[in-house]
Amino acid sequence: MIAITNLSYYLGDRALYDGASLHIKPKQKIGLIGLNGTGKSTLLRMINGEFQPDGGNISKAGDCTIGFLNQDLLSYQSDDSILSVAMQAFERQNILQTQIDKILHDMEHNYTDALVDKLAKVQDEFEALDGYSVQSKAEAILEGLGFSTTDLHQPLRLFSGGWRMRVMLAKLLLQKPSLLMLDEPTNHLDLPSIQWVEKYVQTYEGAVIVVSHDRQFLDNTIDTTVEVSGGKLNYYAGNYSYYLEEKEERNEIQRGAYENQQAKIRQTERFIERFKAKATKSRQVQSRVKALDRMDVVDQVVDENAKVHFRFQFTTQPGRHVFQLEDASKSYGEKVILDGTNISMERGDKIALIGANGRGKSTVLRVVAGTEEIEGKRRLGHNVSFTFYAQHQLESLNIQHNLIEELKYANPTKTETELRTVLGCFLFTGDDVFKKIKVLSGGEKSRVALAKVLLSQANFLLLDEPTNHLDMQSVNILIQALQQYEGSYIVVSHDRYFVENIANKIWYIEDHEIKEYPGTYEEYETWVEERGLQSAVSEKVTVSSAPPQKNSQHPANAPKSNGKAPSNEDAQKIKKVQKQIEELESTINNLEIRKTETETKLSDPKIYNDPTMLTEVKRFYNDIKQKLEQSTEDWENLMLEVEELAGK
């Protein structure tokens, strides 16, 4: 569908791409990954025709249509309703609808056979294009992206940039281009909307390229990973988790090749140094010098998984109780956020506050910080000191400071060496530490602001969407820093991988109350699914008021369920078997990918010149086939088991 061949693109003297190639096939779901600044968005703009490459070629099939969601669309404004803007996707249907309306109007004053024939012809085309259902399709997609029914008729200009971005995403989805390119689509979506987009992309009929730092979103949507690194496009035939495993295997092979080559180079150089003065050895010496010149040098593997080795300390230990709300209520006019809620947290609690946009998560953080007035009582515990991170606080960075000066302002007691260590943890090395804040990108400013938060010596952190604008490496660094942090925190985030790795409790807002699940995000998701399944299976048996715990004690703040749950064993068995089915389906998918890759290797004539490699590849292929057959048989048996349980 699209072929990228020997692509080159330069920013000044720096090569973003140098001889990069990639083939995009119909219906392929590609995750485009790489560090910030490697050129992912630039590649999308070249495919879209906005930028021209300095070398190479991007060729497209004649019938290839492209839809491109990018961050520039945040600034788009219109007085039209969001439904009207989304329905601009149906260009031909809109033209026909206008014609139909005009003909009907004309017929009210001048009814003729010619107008009747014209109306019939236009209506036939309109019906063939499914014109009578386009509005319902637009409404369904907009509501799936989080808009209420009443929102659909509001002017687009009344909505924030993030919500306008959702409208433009809806418009693209309705256009159904043969290639859909999404640049950071999850940045402005809440969890329910992210999950809705995941399902839509999974079943999308065309090809998709996604640039995202949300690894769970990538795992759930893509079948191919393309890494931008060293000016090349490195292809991996699987999702993000597959990429991580495969890349490590490739790195191991490259490390071995690099070490072997370096040993050979050292040996050759010793020979040259030892015998270069001997005339009798001059021919051998020259031969080895030429061999070194001709050698294709194997690059050393660069470890991109930076490790945090810094202890983020605070001088004052807080008491047992960190924070408490008693009978707290908060409203904005008629919009109720909290109504008589009670919640508390203790020292060591690592809390993720999650949920749909509009529920008041950021408001809750401001309530905890004391910057929002409430009805009821708000209490900070003994010796509790907190600091607050939010995106708007990036503006508070002093743009005239360099990085060292800005961190020194946050913690004057630290030496320059200690500050350099912290900056190194956040990927600022060498002379980077003397850059002025004003020249940093949005992601770099976010890393500086986060470093300041962790240096503040506060024993209680409030973090509002800290992973926005961070690439995967930076998110990994933040995860490590928070895992090592000995204080307490509340984090608002829609990044499920991030939340799973940093939270030991989940808060969510339901019925205008803050409720708590006392476990990890993965456990919370399982509980939510079980609660939904139980409500669907039976309405006759009363459910307990708290989620299942690892022990028999139910904490006082456990969430209350309004649904009903079965006590019979079948519902639990169905849930357990369905989880096994999902795991098997993932296994089968990975095995099929590996089988296809191995078949491609076996089709390469070069492999038959190496009997050892041929034997190894054949052995691997037979092993994959056997595992695939067994997994498929296990899947069929589990499906039969679910059917039997459901039929009871």
Side-chain angles (χ1 to χ4, degrees):
M1 187 172 72
I2 294 180
I4 300 172
T5 310
N6 293 325
L7 182 73
S8 296
Y9 188 84
Y10 290 85
L11 283 179
D13 295 333
R14 184 167 73 97
L16 273 187
Y17 292 97
D18 184 12
S21 298
L22 177 69
H23 288 272
I24 302 168
K25 303 171 186 175
K27 299 186 178 182
Q28 195 171 26
K29 307 292 190 294
I30 296 173
L32 188 63
I33 65 170
L35 300 179
N36 283 344
T38 52
K40 301 184 295 296
S41 297
T42 300
L43 179 64
L44 297 187
R45 293 185 182 276
M46 282 193 282
I47 293 173
N48 199 41
E50 298 174 38
F51 295 170
Q52 295 303 314
D54 294 316
N57 186 47
I58 300 177
S59 59
K60 306 168 190 173
D63 59 349
C64 176
T65 56
I66 295 175
F68 183 23
L69 180 81
N70 59 76
Q71 302 304 309
D72 294 346
L73 298 176
L74 284 169
S75 59
Y76 178 79
Q77 294 194 36
S78 172
D79 289 326
D80 293 336
S81 71
I82 62 173
L83 180 59
S84 298
V85 173
M87 287 185 64
Q88 291 171 7
F90 303 110
E91 185 176 356
R92 181 58 183 166
Q93 291 92 327
N94 291 336
I95 292 172
L96 293 171
Q97 182 66 67
T98 301
Q99 291 178 3
I100 290 170
D101 292 341
K102 184 178 184 306
I103 294 170
L104 289 172
H105 181 267
D106 291 345
M107 289 175 68
E108 291 177 2
H109 304 93
N110 184 24
Y111 189 91
T112 65
D113 290 342
L115 283 176
V116 172
D117 291 341
K118 186 177 181 181
L119 178 64
K121 184 179 179 181
V122 174
Q123 284 180 327
D124 285 344
E125 184 182 355
F126 188 68
E127 187 171 357
L129 292 173
D130 204 17
Y132 293 107
S133 66
V134 293
Q135 182 169 331
S136 62
K137 289 178 181 177
E139 290 171 348
I141 284 184
L142 287 167
E143 290 175 5
L145 288 169
F147 291 99
S148 67
T149 304
T150 54
D151 288 337
L152 303 186
H153 303 286
Q154 297 294 318
L156 179 71
R157 59 179 171 76
L158 297 181
F159 293 85
S160 65
W163 286 99
R164 290 198 296 272
M165 178 69 84
R166 295 187 193 208
V167 177
M168 306 314 292
L169 174 58
K171 181 181 174 182
L172 284 179
L173 296 178
L174 289 165
Q175 287 173 333
K176 293 187 176 179
S178 47
L179 173 61
L180 182 63
M181 301 194 302
L182 307 176
D183 193 0
E184 294 290 357
T186 64
N187 265 5
H188 304 284
L189 299 180
D190 54 22
L191 275 174
S193 299
I194 289 172
Q195 291 165 339
W196 184 90
V197 173
E198 280 179 358
K199 292 175 183 176
Y200 195 96
V201 171
Q202 287 166 1
T203 58
Y204 189 72
E205 295 176 358
V208 179
I209 301 178
V210 179
V211 173
S212 178
H213 300 311
D214 185 334
R215 61 181 68 194
Q216 188 164 348
F217 180 82
L218 290 174
D219 266 347
N220 292 344
T221 56
I222 66 173
D223 54 34
T224 302
T225 303
V226 175
E227 179 192 38
V228 183
S229 179
K232 306 295 183 186
L233 295 169
N234 302 315
Y235 185 95
Y236 295 82
N239 64 10
Y240 186 78
S241 293
Y242 171 85
Y243 152 79
L244 290 175
E245 295 176 6
E246 181 69 15
K247 184 175 183 181
E248 184 55 37
E249 290 179 11
R250 293 187 192 183
N251 284 348
E252 282 299 319
I253 294 170
Q254 186 176 336
R255 285 189 193 99
Y258 173 80
E259 290 169 3
N260 290 337
Q261 187 180 68
Q262 290 300 306
K264 185 176 181 179
I265 290 171
R266 287 192 296 271
Q267 182 181 10
T268 304
E269 288 175 341
R270 283 198 300 270
F271 181 91
I272 294 169
E273 184 65 25
R274 182 178 178 185
F275 295 110
K276 65 182 179 181
K278 290 192 175 183
T280 56
K281 295 286 186 179
S282 62
R283 182 174 296 178
Q284 292 96 320
V285 168
Q286 288 302 314
S287 174
R288 283 165 171 76
V289 169
K290 290 177 181 178
L292 285 180
D293 291 338
R294 292 194 303 268
M295 186 177 290
D296 291 329
V297 178
V298 177
D299 293 330
Q300 188 173 7
V301 174
V302 178
D303 186 6
E304 295 177 349
N305 297 313
K307 299 291 188 296
V308 174
H309 299 294
F310 185 84
R311 190 174 181 132
F312 299 98
Q313 297 177 317
F314 42 83
T315 54
T316 306
Q317 284 288 344
R320 176 184 171 187
H321 299 288
V322 174
F323 172 78
Q324 188 175 17
L325 284 178
E326 291 183 9
D327 199 25
S329 298
K330 177 65 184 178
S331 301
Y332 296 105
E334 295 182 357
K335 184 174 178 59
V336 178
I337 303 297
L338 301 175
D339 185 13
T341 194
N342 294 280
I343 197 77
S344 65
M345 65 181 294
E346 297 187 353
R347 184 177 61 237
D349 281 351
K350 320 282 182 150
I351 293 169
L353 176 57
I354 65 171
N357 284 344
R359 292 287 181 90
K361 300 185 299 297
S362 295
T363 299
V364 168
L365 283 192
R366 292 194 296 271
V367 166
V368 175
T371 58
E372 287 278 359
E373 295 294 329
I374 60 166
E375 297 178 15
K377 294 181 179 179
R378 166 193 174 272
R379 290 195 180 96
L380 276 182
H382 178 65
N383 281 341
V384 171
S385 60
F386 69 87
T387 189
F388 194 168
Y389 171 87
Q391 287 297 314
H392 69 271
Q393 289 176 307
L394 300 188
E395 299 167 7
S396 67
L397 297 174
N398 189 326
I399 62 173
Q400 299 305 323
H401 280 171
N402 63 36
L403 274 60
I404 290 285
E405 291 169 339
E406 189 66 15
L407 263 62
K408 191 74 174 177
Y409 180 78
N411 192 329
T413 66
K414 296 294 183 184
T415 65
E416 182 172 319
T417 301
E418 289 174 317
L419 296 178
R420 278 177 170 270
T421 301
V422 175
L423 287 167
C425 292
F426 284 88
L427 306 182
F428 295 108
T429 57
D431 291 339
D432 288 345
V433 301
F434 299 114
K435 284 183 177 179
K436 297 287 187 181
I437 299 294
K438 63 182 177 182
V439 304
L440 301 182
S441 67
E444 289 171 328
K445 288 178 181 175
S446 294
R447 299 206 305 269
V448 173
L450 286 166
K452 284 182 65 177
V453 165
L454 293 166
L455 276 172
S456 67
Q457 300 190 68
N459 51 39
F460 180 29
L461 308 181
L462 301 172
L463 308 175
D464 193 1
E465 294 289 359
T467 63
N468 275 4
H469 308 298
L470 298 185
D471 57 27
M472 289 182 183
Q473 188 178 9
S474 301
V475 171
N476 184 50
I477 288 168
L478 181 57
I479 287 171
Q480 293 179 66
L482 291 177
Q483 287 173 342
Q484 295 176 28
Y485 180 69
E486 295 177 358
S488 307
Y489 51 73
I490 303 175
V491 176
V492 170
S493 178
H494 300 309
D495 186 326
R496 289 159 292 179
Y497 177 82
F498 175 70
V499 168
E500 171 59 26
N501 282 277
I502 56 92
N504 58 23
K505 289 183 178 179
I506 304 297
W507 280 7
Y508 59 101
I509 302 172
E510 185 177 82
D511 299 329
H512 310 303
E513 292 183 49
I514 303 171
K515 299 185 179 181
E516 179 180 288
Y517 179 86
T520 65
Y521 179 72
E522 184 178 8
E523 293 167 340
Y524 167 79
E525 270 198 324
T526 301
W527 170 72
V528 169
E529 290 173 5
E530 286 176 351
R531 188 168 67 161
L533 177 67
Q534 289 169 351
S535 297
V537 170
S538 172
E539 296 182 2
K540 296 179 182 179
V541 184
T542 304
V543 71
S544 63
S545 62
Q549 299 297 314
K550 294 179 180 178
N551 54 50
S552 61
Q553 299 297 318
H554 295 291
N557 288 321
K560 298 173 183 178
S561 172
N562 296 324
K564 296 184 178 180
S567 60
N568 61 60
E569 297 179 359
D570 287 345
Q572 297 299 326
K573 287 181 180 177
I574 288 174
K575 179 61 183 174
K576 183 178 179 181
V577 174
Q578 284 177 333
K579 189 171 183 180
Q580 292 173 333
I581 288 172
E582 290 175 4
E583 292 171 354
L584 264 178
E585 286 174 342
S586 176
T587 300
I588 289 170
N589 183 52
N590 288 331
L591 288 171
E592 286 176 339
I593 290 170
R594 288 178 177 267
K595 181 171 176 284
T596 302
E597 288 177 341
T598 312
E599 287 170 345
T600 302
K601 288 181 181 178
L602 288 171
S603 67
D604 186 354
K606 294 179 182 177
I607 197 172
Y608 294 93
N609 296 328
D610 188 339
T612 303
M613 181 179 290
L614 178 61
T615 302
E616 179 63 22
V617 173
K618 282 184 174 179
R619 183 197 63 75
F620 182 77
Y621 181 70
N622 292 331
D623 184 46
I624 290 292
K625 277 181 65 179
Q626 184 178 350
K627 289 179 179 177
L628 185 57
E629 289 169 3
Q630 183 61 53
S631 297
T632 303
E633 183 181 343
D634 292 343
W635 180 85
E636 291 171 353
N637 292 334
L638 288 173
M639 290 296 290
L640 289 173
E641 186 177 343
V642 169
E643 290 177 7
E644 289 174 3
L645 289 169
K648 285 186 179 181

